[in-house]
Amino acid sequence: MDDYLELLRQGVQDVTTCTCGIDLERFRADRVRQLAVVKAIENIGETPGDVLADYPVFAEREKSIAWRAWKGARNRLAHGYHSIDYDLVWGMAERDVPKLGQALQEIADFEVVRLAFRQAGKTPSK
């Protein structure tokens, strides 16, 4: 599971790196940056299918991540490459990717708490 979460974190970081310090107009004018952000979002969207298949209980518990929506976004970008709306991609990069990053941080924080409780012989609730 940790590998999947790390892949998601890396995708969030990639999008953040590609969009840091620019606005929508600059994004619209930079084809290389557009392609990089699309690829990073595709990479993010690849992982939820694996999580849903391999760890369905985890995916059900972690409702703060829209697993199926990310998978759907990936499929739309990968298969609809000829008709991508880059304003929508920018919106995902500015709105949805940071939310995903926050959800991943909350999962990581909870896992630290879970480990501490486990070491103390207790069980945290979530």
Side-chain angles (χ1 to χ4, degrees):
M1 185 68 231
D2 289 340
D3 290 345
Y4 292 144
L5 295 177
E6 184 54 36
L7 287 169
L8 290 170
R9 283 186 202 97
Q10 184 60 56
V12 168
Q13 182 59 47
D14 290 345
V15 171
T16 302
T17 298
C18 290
T19 59
C20 184
I22 68 165
D23 60 11
L24 175 58
E25 292 309 313
R26 183 157 174 214
F27 180 72
R28 285 177 178 157
D30 189 337
R31 181 73 174 144
V32 172
R33 202 176 295 255
Q34 290 172 354
L35 294 172
V37 172
V38 166
K39 181 60 179 166
I41 292 173
E42 285 177 1
N43 290 347
I44 290 170
E46 187 67 31
T47 303
D50 296 331
V51 172
L52 288 165
D54 296 345
Y55 298 97
V57 172
F58 176 85
E60 179 62 28
R61 185 185 84 205
E62 297 302 334
K63 295 180 188 303
S64 62
I65 297 177
W67 302 101
R68 285 178 177 75
W70 279 107
K71 183 178 174 184
R74 179 257 174 227
N75 290 339
R76 172 63 180 89
L77 290 171
H79 300 292
Y81 59 88
H82 56 281
S83 61
I84 292 173
D85 181 335
Y86 289 99
D87 286 1
L88 290 176
V89 170
W90 177 259
M92 290 182 72
E94 289 294 296
R95 178 190 60 246
D96 301 324
V97 171
K99 286 180 187 175
L100 175 60
Q102 180 61 40
L104 292 168
Q105 185 59 54
E106 290 170 7
I107 290 168
D109 292 347
F110 182 73
E111 292 304 321
V112 169
V113 169
R114 182 193 308 264
L115 178 60
F117 270 72
R118 190 174 297 138
Q119 289 173 344
K122 300 177 181 180
T123 305
S125 60
K126 184 172 182 185

PDB file of all heavy atoms in Angstrom, residues 1-8 44-62 65-68 71 104 107:
ATOM      1  N   MET A   1       0.811  -1.192   0.000  1.00  0.00           N
ATOM      2  CA  MET A   1       0.000   0.000   0.000  1.00  0.00           C
ATOM      3  C   MET A   1       0.860   1.264   0.000  1.00  0.00           C
ATOM      4  O   MET A   1       0.526   2.239  -0.656  1.00  0.00           O
ATOM      5  CB  MET A   1      -0.914  -0.055   1.243  1.00  0.00           C
ATOM      6  CG  MET A   1      -1.897   1.053   1.314  1.00  0.00           C
ATOM      7  SD  MET A   1      -3.115   0.898   0.028  1.00  0.00           S
ATOM      8  CE  MET A   1      -3.078   2.470  -0.672  1.00  0.00           C
ATOM      9  N   ASP A   2       1.952   1.212   0.760  1.00  0.00           N
ATOM     10  CA  ASP A   2       2.825   2.385   0.840  1.00  0.00           C
ATOM     11  C   ASP A   2       3.358   2.786  -0.527  1.00  0.00           C
ATOM     12  O   ASP A   2       3.509   3.975  -0.809  1.00  0.00           O
ATOM     13  CB  ASP A   2       3.983   2.132   1.799  1.00  0.00           C
ATOM     14  CG  ASP A   2       3.531   2.084   3.252  1.00  0.00           C
ATOM     15  OD1 ASP A   2       2.446   2.610   3.557  1.00  0.00           O
ATOM     16  OD2 ASP A   2       4.276   1.531   4.075  1.00  0.00           O
ATOM     17  N   ASP A   3       3.633   1.798  -1.377  1.00  0.00           N
ATOM     18  CA  ASP A   3       4.123   2.111  -2.729  1.00  0.00           C
ATOM     19  C   ASP A   3       3.085   2.909  -3.510  1.00  0.00           C
ATOM     20  O   ASP A   3       3.419   3.866  -4.210  1.00  0.00           O
ATOM     21  CB  ASP A   3       4.460   0.833  -3.500  1.00  0.00           C
ATOM     22  CG  ASP A   3       5.696   0.135  -2.960  1.00  0.00           C
ATOM     23  OD1 ASP A   3       6.458   0.753  -2.185  1.00  0.00           O
ATOM     24  OD2 ASP A   3       5.894  -1.033  -3.307  1.00  0.00           O
ATOM     25  N   TYR A   4       1.821   2.527  -3.403  1.00  0.00           N
ATOM     26  CA  TYR A   4       0.759   3.240  -4.108  1.00  0.00           C
ATOM     27  C   TYR A   4       0.620   4.673  -3.594  1.00  0.00           C
ATOM     28  O   TYR A   4       0.479   5.612  -4.374  1.00  0.00           O
ATOM     29  CB  TYR A   4      -0.577   2.517  -3.964  1.00  0.00           C
ATOM     30  CG  TYR A   4      -0.659   1.186  -4.681  1.00  0.00           C
ATOM     31  CD1 TYR A   4      -1.364   0.132  -4.139  1.00  0.00           C
ATOM     32  CD2 TYR A   4      -0.033   0.986  -5.913  1.00  0.00           C
ATOM     33  CE1 TYR A   4      -1.462  -1.087  -4.790  1.00  0.00           C
ATOM     34  CE2 TYR A   4      -0.121  -0.220  -6.575  1.00  0.00           C
ATOM     35  CZ  TYR A   4      -0.832  -1.259  -6.007  1.00  0.00           C
ATOM     36  OH  TYR A   4      -0.917  -2.457  -6.659  1.00  0.00           O
ATOM     37  N   LEU A   5       0.674   4.816  -2.279  1.00  0.00           N
ATOM     38  CA  LEU A   5       0.567   6.156  -1.709  1.00  0.00           C
ATOM     39  C   LEU A   5       1.754   7.020  -2.133  1.00  0.00           C
ATOM     40  O   LEU A   5       1.587   8.213  -2.411  1.00  0.00           O
ATOM     41  CB  LEU A   5       0.451   6.080  -0.191  1.00  0.00           C
ATOM     42  CG  LEU A   5      -0.816   5.398   0.335  1.00  0.00           C
ATOM     43  CD1 LEU A   5      -0.782   5.316   1.859  1.00  0.00           C
ATOM     44  CD2 LEU A   5      -2.070   6.086  -0.148  1.00  0.00           C
ATOM     45  N   GLU A   6       2.916   6.420  -2.219  1.00  0.00           N
ATOM     46  CA  GLU A   6       4.094   7.173  -2.667  1.00  0.00           C
ATOM     47  C   GLU A   6       3.960   7.589  -4.132  1.00  0.00           C
ATOM     48  O   GLU A   6       4.360   8.692  -4.511  1.00  0.00           O
ATOM     49  CB  GLU A   6       5.371   6.367  -2.446  1.00  0.00           C
ATOM     50  CG  GLU A   6       6.628   7.129  -2.794  1.00  0.00           C
ATOM     51  CD  GLU A   6       6.747   8.482  -2.078  1.00  0.00           C
ATOM     52  OE1 GLU A   6       6.331   8.603  -0.916  1.00  0.00           O
ATOM     53  OE2 GLU A   6       7.280   9.416  -2.705  1.00  0.00           O
ATOM     54  N   LEU A   7       3.402   6.724  -4.965  1.00  0.00           N
ATOM     55  CA  LEU A   7       3.163   7.096  -6.362  1.00  0.00           C
ATOM     56  C   LEU A   7       2.210   8.285  -6.458  1.00  0.00           C
ATOM     57  O   LEU A   7       2.422   9.198  -7.265  1.00  0.00           O
ATOM     58  CB  LEU A   7       2.590   5.907  -7.142  1.00  0.00           C
ATOM     59  CG  LEU A   7       3.557   4.776  -7.456  1.00  0.00           C
ATOM     60  CD1 LEU A   7       2.795   3.569  -7.995  1.00  0.00           C
ATOM     61  CD2 LEU A   7       4.610   5.241  -8.443  1.00  0.00           C
ATOM     62  N   LEU A   8       1.174   8.277  -5.634  1.00  0.00           N
ATOM     63  CA  LEU A   8       0.242   9.402  -5.620  1.00  0.00           C
ATOM     64  C   LEU A   8       0.931  10.681  -5.148  1.00  0.00           C
ATOM     65  O   LEU A   8       0.767  11.740  -5.749  1.00  0.00           O
ATOM     66  CB  LEU A   8      -0.963   9.089  -4.732  1.00  0.00           C
ATOM     67  CG  LEU A   8      -1.921   8.033  -5.273  1.00  0.00           C
ATOM     68  CD1 LEU A   8      -2.931   7.620  -4.197  1.00  0.00           C
ATOM     69  CD2 LEU A   8      -2.632   8.537  -6.516  1.00  0.00           C
ATOM     70  N   ILE A  44      -1.137  10.089 -11.698  1.00  0.00           N
ATOM     71  CA  ILE A  44      -1.933  10.056 -10.470  1.00  0.00           C
ATOM     72  C   ILE A  44      -3.128   9.128 -10.670  1.00  0.00           C
ATOM     73  O   ILE A  44      -3.422   8.278  -9.837  1.00  0.00           O
ATOM     74  CB  ILE A  44      -2.423  11.471 -10.086  1.00  0.00           C
ATOM     75  CG1 ILE A  44      -1.262  12.336  -9.610  1.00  0.00           C
ATOM     76  CG2 ILE A  44      -3.531  11.394  -9.026  1.00  0.00           C
ATOM     77  CD1 ILE A  44      -1.613  13.803  -9.434  1.00  0.00           C
ATOM     78  N   GLY A  45      -3.806   9.264 -11.788  1.00  0.00           N
ATOM     79  CA  GLY A  45      -5.033   8.508 -12.040  1.00  0.00           C
ATOM     80  C   GLY A  45      -4.833   7.031 -12.300  1.00  0.00           C
ATOM     81  O   GLY A  45      -5.786   6.255 -12.228  1.00  0.00           O
ATOM     82  N   GLU A  46      -3.620   6.633 -12.578  1.00  0.00           N
ATOM     83  CA  GLU A  46      -3.331   5.213 -12.813  1.00  0.00           C
ATOM     84  C   GLU A  46      -3.404   4.416 -11.503  1.00  0.00           C
ATOM     85  O   GLU A  46      -3.867   3.279 -11.476  1.00  0.00           O
ATOM     86  CB  GLU A  46      -1.940   5.061 -13.437  1.00  0.00           C
ATOM     87  CG  GLU A  46      -1.600   3.674 -13.877  1.00  0.00           C
ATOM     88  CD  GLU A  46      -2.437   3.170 -15.041  1.00  0.00           C
ATOM     89  OE1 GLU A  46      -2.868   3.973 -15.888  1.00  0.00           O
ATOM     90  OE2 GLU A  46      -2.646   1.938 -15.103  1.00  0.00           O
ATOM     91  N   THR A  47      -2.977   5.002 -10.433  1.00  0.00           N
ATOM     92  CA  THR A  47      -2.860   4.303  -9.158  1.00  0.00           C
ATOM     93  C   THR A  47      -4.196   3.934  -8.511  1.00  0.00           C
ATOM     94  O   THR A  47      -4.317   2.845  -7.947  1.00  0.00           O
ATOM     95  CB  THR A  47      -1.994   5.131  -8.193  1.00  0.00           C
ATOM     96  OG1 THR A  47      -0.724   5.363  -8.821  1.00  0.00           O
ATOM     97  CG2 THR A  47      -1.781   4.429  -6.870  1.00  0.00           C
ATOM     98  N   PRO A  48      -5.219   4.767  -8.560  1.00  0.00           N
ATOM     99  CA  PRO A  48      -6.474   4.403  -7.889  1.00  0.00           C
ATOM    100  C   PRO A  48      -7.073   3.070  -8.348  1.00  0.00           C
ATOM    101  O   PRO A  48      -7.658   2.356  -7.526  1.00  0.00           O
ATOM    102  CB  PRO A  48      -7.408   5.570  -8.215  1.00  0.00           C
ATOM    103  CG  PRO A  48      -6.479   6.727  -8.304  1.00  0.00           C
ATOM    104  CD  PRO A  48      -5.265   6.164  -9.009  1.00  0.00           C
ATOM    105  N   GLY A  49      -6.929   2.739  -9.599  1.00  0.00           N
ATOM    106  CA  GLY A  49      -7.437   1.440 -10.060  1.00  0.00           C
ATOM    107  C   GLY A  49      -6.747   0.289  -9.340  1.00  0.00           C
ATOM    108  O   GLY A  49      -7.397  -0.693  -8.964  1.00  0.00           O
ATOM    109  N   ASP A  50      -5.448   0.441  -9.129  1.00  0.00           N
ATOM    110  CA  ASP A  50      -4.700  -0.585  -8.398  1.00  0.00           C
ATOM    111  C   ASP A  50      -5.138  -0.643  -6.937  1.00  0.00           C
ATOM    112  O   ASP A  50      -5.290  -1.721  -6.367  1.00  0.00           O
ATOM    113  CB  ASP A  50      -3.197  -0.305  -8.482  1.00  0.00           C
ATOM    114  CG  ASP A  50      -2.667  -0.403  -9.899  1.00  0.00           C
ATOM    115  OD1 ASP A  50      -3.244  -1.172 -10.707  1.00  0.00           O
ATOM    116  OD2 ASP A  50      -1.677   0.284 -10.205  1.00  0.00           O
ATOM    117  N   VAL A  51      -5.336   0.519  -6.332  1.00  0.00           N
ATOM    118  CA  VAL A  51      -5.778   0.555  -4.942  1.00  0.00           C
ATOM    119  C   VAL A  51      -7.160  -0.081  -4.814  1.00  0.00           C
ATOM    120  O   VAL A  51      -7.390  -0.907  -3.923  1.00  0.00           O
ATOM    121  CB  VAL A  51      -5.791   2.000  -4.398  1.00  0.00           C
ATOM    122  CG1 VAL A  51      -6.429   2.050  -3.006  1.00  0.00           C
ATOM    123  CG2 VAL A  51      -4.372   2.572  -4.358  1.00  0.00           C
ATOM    124  N   LEU A  52      -8.071   0.271  -5.719  1.00  0.00           N
ATOM    125  CA  LEU A  52      -9.418  -0.310  -5.673  1.00  0.00           C
ATOM    126  C   LEU A  52      -9.383  -1.827  -5.832  1.00  0.00           C
ATOM    127  O   LEU A  52     -10.147  -2.544  -5.176  1.00  0.00           O
ATOM    128  CB  LEU A  52     -10.295   0.318  -6.752  1.00  0.00           C
ATOM    129  CG  LEU A  52     -10.712   1.764  -6.493  1.00  0.00           C
ATOM    130  CD1 LEU A  52     -11.246   2.402  -7.776  1.00  0.00           C
ATOM    131  CD2 LEU A  52     -11.734   1.845  -5.380  1.00  0.00           C
ATOM    132  N   ALA A  53      -8.500  -2.315  -6.692  1.00  0.00           N
ATOM    133  CA  ALA A  53      -8.407  -3.758  -6.929  1.00  0.00           C
ATOM    134  C   ALA A  53      -7.690  -4.495  -5.797  1.00  0.00           C
ATOM    135  O   ALA A  53      -8.127  -5.562  -5.370  1.00  0.00           O
ATOM    136  CB  ALA A  53      -7.686  -4.020  -8.248  1.00  0.00           C
ATOM    137  N   ASP A  54      -6.590  -3.911  -5.315  1.00  0.00           N
ATOM    138  CA  ASP A  54      -5.745  -4.616  -4.352  1.00  0.00           C
ATOM    139  C   ASP A  54      -6.097  -4.333  -2.894  1.00  0.00           C
ATOM    140  O   ASP A  54      -5.846  -5.163  -2.024  1.00  0.00           O
ATOM    141  CB  ASP A  54      -4.276  -4.250  -4.575  1.00  0.00           C
ATOM    142  CG  ASP A  54      -3.764  -4.705  -5.936  1.00  0.00           C
ATOM    143  OD1 ASP A  54      -4.430  -5.538  -6.590  1.00  0.00           O
ATOM    144  OD2 ASP A  54      -2.685  -4.225  -6.345  1.00  0.00           O
ATOM    145  N   TYR A  55      -6.652  -3.160  -2.622  1.00  0.00           N
ATOM    146  CA  TYR A  55      -6.949  -2.743  -1.249  1.00  0.00           C
ATOM    147  C   TYR A  55      -8.333  -2.097  -1.161  1.00  0.00           C
ATOM    148  O   TYR A  55      -8.468  -0.942  -0.769  1.00  0.00           O
ATOM    149  CB  TYR A  55      -5.889  -1.753  -0.753  1.00  0.00           C
ATOM    150  CG  TYR A  55      -4.503  -2.336  -0.694  1.00  0.00           C
ATOM    151  CD1 TYR A  55      -3.604  -2.132  -1.743  1.00  0.00           C
ATOM    152  CD2 TYR A  55      -4.093  -3.100   0.393  1.00  0.00           C
ATOM    153  CE1 TYR A  55      -2.328  -2.672  -1.705  1.00  0.00           C
ATOM    154  CE2 TYR A  55      -2.819  -3.645   0.439  1.00  0.00           C
ATOM    155  CZ  TYR A  55      -1.947  -3.423  -0.606  1.00  0.00           C
ATOM    156  OH  TYR A  55      -0.679  -3.966  -0.566  1.00  0.00           O
ATOM    157  N   PRO A  56      -9.375  -2.817  -1.525  1.00  0.00           N
ATOM    158  CA  PRO A  56     -10.712  -2.217  -1.542  1.00  0.00           C
ATOM    159  C   PRO A  56     -11.177  -1.715  -0.172  1.00  0.00           C
ATOM    160  O   PRO A  56     -11.882  -0.714  -0.092  1.00  0.00           O
ATOM    161  CB  PRO A  56     -11.614  -3.337  -2.064  1.00  0.00           C
ATOM    162  CG  PRO A  56     -10.856  -4.597  -1.812  1.00  0.00           C
ATOM    163  CD  PRO A  56      -9.406  -4.237  -1.913  1.00  0.00           C
ATOM    164  N   VAL A  57     -10.790  -2.383   0.896  1.00  0.00           N
ATOM    165  CA  VAL A  57     -11.197  -1.946   2.237  1.00  0.00           C
ATOM    166  C   VAL A  57     -10.548  -0.606   2.557  1.00  0.00           C
ATOM    167  O   VAL A  57     -11.197   0.297   3.096  1.00  0.00           O
ATOM    168  CB  VAL A  57     -10.832  -3.014   3.295  1.00  0.00           C
ATOM    169  CG1 VAL A  57     -11.072  -2.504   4.708  1.00  0.00           C
ATOM    170  CG2 VAL A  57     -11.622  -4.292   3.039  1.00  0.00           C
ATOM    171  N   PHE A  58      -9.287  -0.456   2.206  1.00  0.00           N
ATOM    172  CA  PHE A  58      -8.592   0.812   2.412  1.00  0.00           C
ATOM    173  C   PHE A  58      -9.266   1.917   1.603  1.00  0.00           C
ATOM    174  O   PHE A  58      -9.530   2.999   2.121  1.00  0.00           O
ATOM    175  CB  PHE A  58      -7.126   0.681   2.004  1.00  0.00           C
ATOM    176  CG  PHE A  58      -6.362   1.964   2.103  1.00  0.00           C
ATOM    177  CD1 PHE A  58      -5.798   2.347   3.305  1.00  0.00           C
ATOM    178  CD2 PHE A  58      -6.204   2.774   0.990  1.00  0.00           C
ATOM    179  CE1 PHE A  58      -5.093   3.544   3.403  1.00  0.00           C
ATOM    180  CE2 PHE A  58      -5.507   3.968   1.076  1.00  0.00           C
ATOM    181  CZ  PHE A  58      -4.952   4.357   2.282  1.00  0.00           C
ATOM    182  N   ALA A  59      -9.550   1.645   0.337  1.00  0.00           N
ATOM    183  CA  ALA A  59     -10.189   2.653  -0.521  1.00  0.00           C
ATOM    184  C   ALA A  59     -11.553   3.052   0.028  1.00  0.00           C
ATOM    185  O   ALA A  59     -11.916   4.234   0.003  1.00  0.00           O
ATOM    186  CB  ALA A  59     -10.315   2.129  -1.949  1.00  0.00           C
ATOM    187  N   GLU A  60     -12.289   2.091   0.539  1.00  0.00           N
ATOM    188  CA  GLU A  60     -13.603   2.392   1.120  1.00  0.00           C
ATOM    189  C   GLU A  60     -13.463   3.245   2.376  1.00  0.00           C
ATOM    190  O   GLU A  60     -14.243   4.160   2.610  1.00  0.00           O
ATOM    191  CB  GLU A  60     -14.348   1.088   1.448  1.00  0.00           C
ATOM    192  CG  GLU A  60     -15.700   1.281   2.072  1.00  0.00           C
ATOM    193  CD  GLU A  60     -16.700   2.015   1.189  1.00  0.00           C
ATOM    194  OE1 GLU A  60     -16.594   1.934  -0.052  1.00  0.00           O
ATOM    195  OE2 GLU A  60     -17.589   2.689   1.745  1.00  0.00           O
ATOM    196  N   ARG A  61     -12.459   2.948   3.169  1.00  0.00           N
ATOM    197  CA  ARG A  61     -12.233   3.710   4.401  1.00  0.00           C
ATOM    198  C   ARG A  61     -11.783   5.136   4.105  1.00  0.00           C
ATOM    199  O   ARG A  61     -12.169   6.074   4.788  1.00  0.00           O
ATOM    200  CB  ARG A  61     -11.170   3.007   5.262  1.00  0.00           C
ATOM    201  CG  ARG A  61     -10.956   3.681   6.619  1.00  0.00           C
ATOM    202  CD  ARG A  61      -9.844   3.055   7.405  1.00  0.00           C
ATOM    203  NE  ARG A  61      -8.591   3.650   6.939  1.00  0.00           N
ATOM    204  CZ  ARG A  61      -7.415   3.080   7.029  1.00  0.00           C
ATOM    205  NH1 ARG A  61      -7.285   1.884   7.547  1.00  0.00           N
ATOM    206  NH2 ARG A  61      -6.332   3.688   6.591  1.00  0.00           N
ATOM    207  N   GLU A  62     -10.965   5.298   3.078  1.00  0.00           N
ATOM    208  CA  GLU A  62     -10.388   6.612   2.753  1.00  0.00           C
ATOM    209  C   GLU A  62     -11.268   7.332   1.733  1.00  0.00           C
ATOM    210  O   GLU A  62     -10.912   7.507   0.570  1.00  0.00           O
ATOM    211  CB  GLU A  62      -8.952   6.449   2.249  1.00  0.00           C
ATOM    212  CG  GLU A  62      -8.009   5.860   3.261  1.00  0.00           C
ATOM    213  CD  GLU A  62      -7.914   6.673   4.549  1.00  0.00           C
ATOM    214  OE1 GLU A  62      -8.161   7.909   4.531  1.00  0.00           O
ATOM    215  OE2 GLU A  62      -7.592   6.077   5.592  1.00  0.00           O
ATOM    216  N   ILE A  65     -10.494  10.563  -0.707  1.00  0.00           N
ATOM    217  CA  ILE A  65      -9.907  10.463  -2.043  1.00  0.00           C
ATOM    218  C   ILE A  65     -10.964   9.897  -2.980  1.00  0.00           C
ATOM    219  O   ILE A  65     -11.521   8.833  -2.732  1.00  0.00           O
ATOM    220  CB  ILE A  65      -8.643   9.577  -2.051  1.00  0.00           C
ATOM    221  CG1 ILE A  65      -7.569  10.216  -1.167  1.00  0.00           C
ATOM    222  CG2 ILE A  65      -8.132   9.373  -3.478  1.00  0.00           C
ATOM    223  CD1 ILE A  65      -6.300   9.411  -1.036  1.00  0.00           C
ATOM    224  N   ALA A  66     -11.209  10.609  -4.051  1.00  0.00           N
ATOM    225  CA  ALA A  66     -12.205  10.186  -5.042  1.00  0.00           C
ATOM    226  C   ALA A  66     -11.535   9.198  -6.003  1.00  0.00           C
ATOM    227  O   ALA A  66     -11.173   9.540  -7.123  1.00  0.00           O
ATOM    228  CB  ALA A  66     -12.751  11.395  -5.784  1.00  0.00           C
ATOM    229  N   TRP A  67     -11.368   7.987  -5.547  1.00  0.00           N
ATOM    230  CA  TRP A  67     -10.605   6.978  -6.285  1.00  0.00           C
ATOM    231  C   TRP A  67     -11.116   6.805  -7.708  1.00  0.00           C
ATOM    232  O   TRP A  67     -10.348   6.835  -8.663  1.00  0.00           O
ATOM    233  CB  TRP A  67     -10.651   5.637  -5.534  1.00  0.00           C
ATOM    234  CG  TRP A  67     -10.113   5.720  -4.150  1.00  0.00           C
ATOM    235  CD1 TRP A  67     -10.836   5.811  -2.988  1.00  0.00           C
ATOM    236  CD2 TRP A  67      -8.736   5.761  -3.758  1.00  0.00           C
ATOM    237  NE1 TRP A  67      -9.997   5.896  -1.912  1.00  0.00           N
ATOM    238  CE2 TRP A  67      -8.700   5.856  -2.353  1.00  0.00           C
ATOM    239  CE3 TRP A  67      -7.533   5.706  -4.457  1.00  0.00           C
ATOM    240  CZ2 TRP A  67      -7.510   5.907  -1.633  1.00  0.00           C
ATOM    241  CZ3 TRP A  67      -6.347   5.753  -3.740  1.00  0.00           C
ATOM    242  CH2 TRP A  67      -6.336   5.863  -2.350  1.00  0.00           C
ATOM    243  N   ARG A  68     -12.405   6.609  -7.863  1.00  0.00           N
ATOM    244  CA  ARG A  68     -12.977   6.369  -9.195  1.00  0.00           C
ATOM    245  C   ARG A  68     -12.911   7.618 -10.079  1.00  0.00           C
ATOM    246  O   ARG A  68     -12.710   7.525 -11.283  1.00  0.00           O
ATOM    247  CB  ARG A  68     -14.398   5.848  -9.072  1.00  0.00           C
ATOM    248  CG  ARG A  68     -14.431   4.392  -8.630  1.00  0.00           C
ATOM    249  CD  ARG A  68     -15.842   3.843  -8.435  1.00  0.00           C
ATOM    250  NE  ARG A  68     -15.816   2.439  -8.093  1.00  0.00           N
ATOM    251  CZ  ARG A  68     -15.486   1.948  -6.900  1.00  0.00           C
ATOM    252  NH1 ARG A  68     -15.156   2.760  -5.920  1.00  0.00           N
ATOM    253  NH2 ARG A  68     -15.477   0.653  -6.668  1.00  0.00           N
ATOM    254  N   LYS A  71      -9.400   7.873 -11.404  1.00  0.00           N
ATOM    255  CA  LYS A  71      -9.225   6.857 -12.450  1.00  0.00           C
ATOM    256  C   LYS A  71      -9.928   7.304 -13.734  1.00  0.00           C
ATOM    257  O   LYS A  71      -9.385   7.176 -14.835  1.00  0.00           O
ATOM    258  CB  LYS A  71      -9.786   5.514 -11.961  1.00  0.00           C
ATOM    259  CG  LYS A  71      -9.595   4.385 -12.928  1.00  0.00           C
ATOM    260  CD  LYS A  71     -10.136   3.082 -12.347  1.00  0.00           C
ATOM    261  CE  LYS A  71     -10.060   1.987 -13.379  1.00  0.00           C
ATOM    262  NZ  LYS A  71     -10.663   0.744 -12.905  1.00  0.00           N
ATOM    263  N   LEU A 104      -3.682  12.796   1.268  1.00  0.00           N
ATOM    264  CA  LEU A 104      -2.539  11.890   1.445  1.00  0.00           C
ATOM    265  C   LEU A 104      -1.774  12.226   2.714  1.00  0.00           C
ATOM    266  O   LEU A 104      -1.318  11.322   3.429  1.00  0.00           O
ATOM    267  CB  LEU A 104      -1.618  11.959   0.225  1.00  0.00           C
ATOM    268  CG  LEU A 104      -2.203  11.395  -1.064  1.00  0.00           C
ATOM    269  CD1 LEU A 104      -1.326  11.775  -2.253  1.00  0.00           C
ATOM    270  CD2 LEU A 104      -2.377   9.884  -0.974  1.00  0.00           C
ATOM    271  N   ILE A 107      -3.695  10.864   5.640  1.00  0.00           N
ATOM    272  CA  ILE A 107      -3.504   9.415   5.738  1.00  0.00           C
ATOM    273  C   ILE A 107      -2.159   9.124   6.394  1.00  0.00           C
ATOM    274  O   ILE A 107      -2.058   8.296   7.297  1.00  0.00           O
ATOM    275  CB  ILE A 107      -3.603   8.741   4.357  1.00  0.00           C
ATOM    276  CG1 ILE A 107      -5.041   8.791   3.855  1.00  0.00           C
ATOM    277  CG2 ILE A 107      -3.100   7.294   4.414  1.00  0.00           C
ATOM    278  CD1 ILE A 107      -5.197   8.422   2.386  1.00  0.00           C
TER     279      ILE A 107
END
